[in-house]
Amino acid sequence: MGKPTGFLEFTRELPSKRSVEERVNDYKEFVNRYSDEKLNQQSARCMNCGVPFCHNGCPLGNVIPEFNDAVYNKEWKDAYDILTSTNNFPEFTGRICPAPCESACVLGINQPAIAIEEIEKHIIEIAFEKNFVQPKKINKRTGKKVAVVGSGPAGLAAAAQLNYAGHSVTVFERDDQPGGLLRYGIPDFKLEKWVIDRRVKLMEEEGVTFKCNANVGVNVNVNDLLREYHAIVLAGGSTVPRDLNVPGRELKGVYFAMQFLKQQNKRNANIDPLANAAVESNILAEEVLATGKNVVVIGGGDTGSDCVGTSNRHKAKSVTQFELMPMPPTSRTQFMPWPTYPMTLKTSSSHEEGADRKWAIATKEFIGDENGNLKAIKVVDLEWKSAEDGRPASFVERAGSERIMPCELALLAMGFVNPQYAGLLEQLGVELDERKNVKATEKEYKTNINKVFTAGDMRRGQSLVVWAISEGRECARKVDEFLSGGLSVLETKDQTAAALMF
C-alpha cells in the first residue's frame, strides 16, 4: 500500500482536457497527462484491499493494487512489468476501455473510485518513454504455424501470446492496415492511430507477420489455410450491424454508423474513403458528411457517442441522439449494488461537445424528398413499465406524441448482431450458436472444425475491448495446449495474479 492515508487525503481527479472549442476543430486526442504530483496522488488513493474486487471486475485479471503501489513509489519498470503480465495492450485499454474495474473498486462504495484506467495509460506511456518496451526475444521456435484471421484486439492478443509460446504466427486482415475496429471504428480523437502502428511494429519485430488486404474466404482461399497451418484462430469480430426496418430505410441519408466512422478514419489517414467501393460490399460508393445537416444518431451506446463527436467535428447544423430505453439513474439503485457493473447515466466527452439526447423515443419512419434524399424522421415517445428487478420490461407508445423532426442524416448505431457468415465462416462450415455467433466453449475456444479456434466478439458477441484481449489470451493458451499436446507454457490470468500477489 503506497500511502495508508491516501484515500483520506486525496479525492479522485481526472486529467484536464483541451477545451471543447479547440478540440472539435481536429481529430487529435484531447485528454492531457497528469502532472507527476497528481499521478502520485491518484495512485496513493489505492487501499491495497485484502480482497481487491477491482481484480475480479477486470476481465483480464489485472493486478491493480500492485501496480498502483509501484506507481506511487515511482518504480516504473515494476509497474510496467506487473501491468503487462496480464494485459498485452494497456495503451488501448487505457484510452477506450469503460473500466469495469473501477465499478468494482472497494473505495467506490462511499467515495469516487480509483482512476485505474488513467493510471494504466500513464504506466505504458512512461514505459515507452523510458524504453522499457522492447521486442521480446523468442528463444525457441516450435516449428508450428498458426493463422489468426482478424487483427482487432482479440486477434492481436492471440497472435502476441502464440508468438511468445514459440509458434510462427501470421495475421490476416481484410482491411488495408491492421487494427480491426481499433483502426476503422474508434475515432482518432479517442485513439490516435500511431498508437496502433507502434504496437504492430513491435509485434513485427518480435516475429509476427501481418498480411493486409487479405480477406479470407474472398481473395484468400480457406482451404489453403487449412493445409498450410497447424491451427487457425478466428477473430473477425461481430460486424453485422443491427438494422432498423421502418418505411424509408432505403433513402439516401440513412447509413450504418460504421459506414460513417470508417470513412472519417480513412480521411484522417489520407486514404481515399471510397477506395475499393466497387469490389467490397461493405464500402459505400458515396462520401457521407454531416456538414451543415441535422443529424440524428439512433442508438445511445459508445458507437452512437462516436458518431456524435464526429458529427460535431464535421460542423453539423444540429446533433440529436435517440435512445429507445428510458433515461437511466445517475447513481446506483437497490437493483445494481456494488460491486456489479452499474447501468447508470454516462456522459461521454462527445456529449460534452454538444448533443440533444432524447430518451424513450422510437423511430417510426424516414421521410424523403422527391429525389429520394432523407429530409425528416417521424418519431414517437414511449412509456416504459419496469419489471420487479427495476429493469425496463415493456413499453407502449405515448398517445399524441407522434411528430416529425427535420433530419438530413440518420446514423444507425444500435449495436452488432453477429459475425459475417458469408465467405470465411460459410466456407469453413463452422457451427453457430443460437445468437449466430461462432459456437465454441469458453473452456476450450474450439469450433466443430478440427484445429480451428475462435475468440473475441466472433465467439461471445459484441463486447468490450478488454474482453476481446482476455479472449485472445485465453484462446491462445488453448491453441498452445492443442499444438503441444499437453500443458501450455502460457499462464492463466489467475496463475499470473497469484505469482504477483504472493
Side-chain angles (χ1 to χ4, degrees):
M1 187 174 184
K3 187 171 188 178
T5 58
F7 70 97
L8 298 173
E9 296 179 37
F10 310 114
T11 190
R12 176 183 169 105
E13 286 186 52
L14 294 176
S16 63
K17 302 171 185 172
R18 288 192 289 132
S19 68
V20 169
E21 294 74 22
E22 177 188 345
R23 72 196 196 216
V24 294
N25 292 310
D26 61 54
Y27 292 88
K28 301 293 185 183
E29 292 181 24
F30 50 80
V31 179
N32 299 317
R33 290 268 289 268
Y34 282 126
S35 66
D36 291 346
E37 180 185 15
K38 288 295 183 185
L39 180 57
N40 181 263
Q41 290 175 355
Q42 292 306 302
S43 61
R45 297 185 69 235
C46 181
M47 303 187 296
N48 192 17
C49 306
V51 180
F53 279 83
C54 57
H55 169 76
N56 184 63
C58 173
L60 285 165
N62 283 346
V63 191
I64 295 163
E66 278 69 19
F67 71 60
N68 278 331
D69 182 69
V71 169
Y72 177 77
N73 290 300
K74 297 184 173 61
E75 295 167 346
W76 301 115
K77 182 63 166 63
D78 286 347
Y80 165 68
D81 288 341
I82 293 167
L83 176 57
T84 55
S85 67
T86 55
N87 185 354
N88 296 75
F89 314 122
E91 66 269 37
F92 302 155
T93 55
R95 286 171 165 85
I96 61 173
C97 182
C101 54
E102 294 184 9
S103 300
C105 174
V106 175
L107 187 58
I109 294 174
N110 60 8
Q111 287 193 40
I114 309 299
I116 300 168
E117 182 182 14
E118 280 296 336
I119 292 172
E120 275 192 28
K121 185 175 79 172
H122 282 69
I123 291 171
I124 189 62
E125 294 305 329
I126 290 169
F128 273 109
E129 290 169 5
K130 293 182 177 293
N131 292 318
F132 296 150
V133 188
Q134 296 295 326
K136 292 185 180 180
K137 183 180 179 182
I138 313 302
N139 294 319
K140 185 180 179 181
R141 289 290 176 184
T142 64
K144 301 292 177 67
K145 296 168 62 179
V146 182
V148 176
V149 183
S151 67
L156 290 176
Q161 292 296 100
L162 287 164
N163 184 58
Y164 297 153
H167 308 301
S168 298
V169 182
T170 301
V171 180
F172 293 84
E173 170 55 53
R174 68 179 178 179
D175 277 318
D176 49 19
Q177 297 182 79
L181 203 65
L182 299 171
R183 174 76 61 180
Y184 286 132
I186 306 296
D188 289 35
F189 55 81
K190 288 173 65 175
L191 174 67
E192 290 186 35
K193 305 318 171 198
W194 62 263
V195 179
I196 305 170
D197 295 336
R198 180 178 64 182
R199 179 57 65 175
V200 169
K201 181 176 183 292
L202 193 69
M203 292 177 66
E204 288 177 327
E205 291 171 353
E206 291 172 336
V208 177
T209 300
F210 289 88
K211 291 188 177 182
C212 295
N213 296 307
N215 194 348
V216 182
V218 179
N219 62 359
V220 177
N221 193 291
V222 171
N223 290 326
D224 288 345
L225 265 60
L226 289 168
R227 279 193 300 269
E228 295 174 19
Y229 292 88
H230 297 93
I232 298 172
V233 175
L234 306 178
S238 180
T239 56
V240 177
R242 181 173 283 106
D243 209 342
L244 183 59
N245 294 313
V246 298
R249 171 63 182 86
E250 76 287 349
L251 291 170
K252 186 176 180 180
V254 184
Y255 303 103
F256 289 118
M258 280 301 150
Q259 294 174 316
F260 175 67
L261 296 173
K262 185 172 184 176
Q263 280 196 3
Q264 186 55 53
N265 282 14
K266 286 201 167 192
R267 290 188 199 99
N268 295 342
N270 296 315
I271 297 172
D272 180 4
L274 305 184
N276 299 323
V279 294
E280 291 189 30
S281 60
N282 64 330
I283 297 180
L284 291 172
E286 71 273 351
E287 287 201 61
V288 181
L289 296 168
T291 310
K293 297 177 181 177
N294 294 295
V295 178
V296 173
V297 180
I298 302 176
D302 290 339
T303 303
S305 171
D306 293 342
C307 290
V308 169
T310 303
S311 296
N312 281 325
R313 283 160 177 77
H314 282 192
K315 310 305 180 199
K317 183 177 180 180
S318 69
V319 182
T320 304
Q321 186 175 21
F322 289 178
E323 172 54 63
L324 189 74
M325 305 296 284
M327 184 176 177
T330 56
S331 59
R332 292 184 186 271
T333 68
Q334 61 177 323
F335 302 111
M336 51 180 93
W338 176 90
T340 60
Y341 190 77
M343 303 304 292
T344 52
L345 178 66
K346 295 174 179 62
T347 300
S348 73
S349 57
S350 292
H351 295 136
E352 294 170 0
E353 294 162 2
D356 182 9
R357 303 173 74 182
K358 295 186 180 296
W359 307 89
I361 188 170
T363 303
K364 299 270 286 185
E365 182 183 353
F366 297 113
I367 301 170
D369 62 18
E370 62 277 7
N371 297 315
N373 297 308
L374 179 68
K375 69 174 185 179
I377 292 184
K378 182 185 289 186
V379 301
V380 65
D381 293 329
L382 305 176
E383 293 180 351
W384 281 88
K385 293 182 179 179
S386 298
E388 290 183 2
D389 62 1
R391 291 182 296 180
S394 62
F395 65 82
V396 295
E397 294 183 3
R398 181 177 297 161
S401 67
E402 193 173 287
R403 59 199 183 277
I404 292 174
M405 297 176 57
C407 173
E408 296 82 43
L409 178 61
L411 300 170
L412 309 183
M414 302 176 294
F416 301 87
V417 292
N418 50 256
Q420 179 182 323
Y421 189 65
L424 169 64
L425 301 183
E426 187 175 28
Q427 292 174 31
L428 273 174
V430 293
E431 195 175 335
L432 305 180
D433 64 17
E434 63 278 1
R435 295 190 299 155
K436 296 185 179 180
N437 298 319
V438 178
K439 189 174 182 179
T441 65
E442 193 168 0
K443 289 184 177 180
E444 298 299 328
Y445 295 87
K446 251 173 140 175
T447 71
N448 61 308
I449 307 298
N450 183 44
K451 75 178 185 181
V452 178
F453 297 75
T454 186
D457 289 5
M458 187 167 263
R459 187 196 74 83
R460 67 179 285 118
Q462 176 187 339
S463 192
L464 310 177
V465 63
V466 67
W467 266 115
I469 297 171
S470 174
E471 289 255 324
R473 287 173 62 90
E474 293 301 308
C475 178
R477 191 167 56 83
K478 290 302 179 181
V479 174
D480 186 41
E481 288 178 1
F482 169 78
L483 293 174
S484 65
L487 294 175
S488 173
V489 297
L490 302 171
E491 292 182 333
T492 68
K493 60 184 179 183
D494 292 334
Q495 289 170 333
T496 303
L500 289 168
M501 289 192 289
F502 304 108

